[in-house]
Amino acid sequence: MTTNHSMPLVTQRLRERNRQALETKIAAENEAEIQCTKVTVAGLLALQQLVEIAQGDTHQPQHCRRVLLAVYNSYAWPLNLTSLRVLDDDLRRAALAVIEWSAVSDRELHEYLPDGHELMQRFAAIEKEEQ
């Protein structure tokens, strides 16, 4: 008889555990979505910063172009980590933000830029001349 009385308690405990597990899962999914949004916003802002600097002609633009080209087409433009080391701190953070964002983005880098494909081709032409 004790078993019959304990069954509702077991069922109640199982329901409570399931509810807690579901709440934990929902909270984790919400946190992941918030983090993804933060990465996307930071990445897009950093992308604009790198593109702006990359259009200059000092050593910083060259390394910004290299980062952008690596994200655009890593097979043709593998990233030499020295490019990150020689960037100013704010540009290095921007480069890392773009790299992190590109890993979770559902679109390609050039799709976020006006005439992005042409811009990347122009950056590639500049870098080929400098090799």
Side-chain angles (χ1 to χ4, degrees), residues 70-89:
V71 172
Y72 175 67
N73 182 348
S74 63
Y75 295 108
W77 296 96
L79 181 61
N80 179 339
L81 293 180
T82 302
S83 292
L84 295 176
R85 290 186 185 119
V86 298
L87 286 171
D88 294 341
D89 289 343

Side-chain angles (χ1 to χ4, degrees), residues 1-123:
M1 296 265 186
T2 313
T3 320
N4 289 340
H5 293 292
S6 65
M7 285 307 286
L9 293 176
V10 170
T11 302
Q12 182 180 356
R13 278 189 250 139
L14 287 173
R15 284 184 182 147
E16 179 61 21
R17 284 184 191 154
N18 286 341
R19 185 189 61 75
Q20 289 172 349
L22 182 59
E23 287 176 359
T24 300
K25 183 178 179 184
I26 290 170
E29 288 173 355
N30 289 340
E31 181 58 34
E33 189 173 322
I34 289 167
Q35 185 60 29
C36 188
T37 299
K38 286 180 182 179
V39 166
T40 299
V41 169
L44 290 173
L45 291 172
L47 174 63
Q48 295 303 321
Q49 181 183 9
L50 290 182
V51 166
E52 185 177 321
I53 299 298
Q55 296 182 61
D57 60 2
T58 64
H59 76 284
Q60 294 288 299
Q62 176 187 15
H63 297 292
C64 290
R65 285 191 297 270
R66 289 295 181 143
V67 169
L68 292 169
L69 287 167
V71 172
Y72 175 67
N73 182 348
S74 63
Y75 295 108
W77 296 96
L79 181 61
N80 179 339
L81 293 180
T82 302
S83 292
L84 295 176
R85 290 186 185 119
V86 298
L87 286 171
D88 294 341
D89 289 343
D90 62 327
L91 291 176
R92 182 174 38 259
R93 282 190 294 276
L96 292 171
V98 167
I99 292 167
E100 181 180 23
W101 159 74
S102 71
V104 298
S105 178
D106 59 346
R107 293 176 26 202
E108 297 296 324
L109 169 141
H110 67 280
E111 295 178 54
Y112 290 90
L113 301 167
D115 301 316
H117 180 71
E118 291 78 12
L119 179 64
M120 290 297 112
Q121 293 305 308
R122 191 170 82 227
F123 287 167

